[in-house]
Amino acid sequence: MLETLLMNRNLQAQVIPAGRPIEAGWISSHFGLRTDPFHGNQEHHGGIDFAAKEGSPIKTVAAGVVTFAGERAGYGILVEVNHGNGTSTRYGHCKEVLVSVGDLVKKGDEVAL
């Protein structure tokens, strides 16, 4: 029973997003109210945007399943990973996608450049 509990905790820790998707770079937009870059109005931003040099590797911040990999309006080239329990992460404005829809990824796997 103890072994099962420990394995479940380890699995849960792997699917909770934590950390940075880039090794070097900066936060270009924080979570919460911000000035919308397209309209100039104050709006809620439901994520955290990171910026890095072109071609930098983008790594997953949690384990999951790739649910989208391609072009999407507002994101350019996008990779989306579903982590379960209604949580997903989006890695947008990519130069190149390194995964396909349906791929299982682990925390720290490179998914795009």
Side-chain angles (χ1 to χ4, degrees), residues 19-92:
R20 297 170 55 101
I22 55 175
E23 289 180 13
W26 60 96
I27 294 176
S28 58
S29 187
H30 291 273
F31 179 87
L33 282 180
R34 70 169 185 178
T35 301
D36 183 271
F38 301 105
H39 306 103
N41 303 327
Q42 285 282 68
E43 292 187 1
H44 177 75
H45 182 239
I48 301 171
D49 294 348
F50 292 88
K53 290 184 179 180
E54 184 175 343
S56 297
I58 301 170
K59 299 180 180 185
T60 59
V61 294
V65 178
V66 177
T67 54
F68 188 88
E71 289 201 35
R72 183 177 286 173
Y75 291 95
I77 298 174
L78 170 75
V79 173
E80 185 171 76
V81 178
N82 185 312
H83 308 289
N85 293 321
T87 304
S88 60
T89 51
R90 293 180 179 153
Y91 307 94

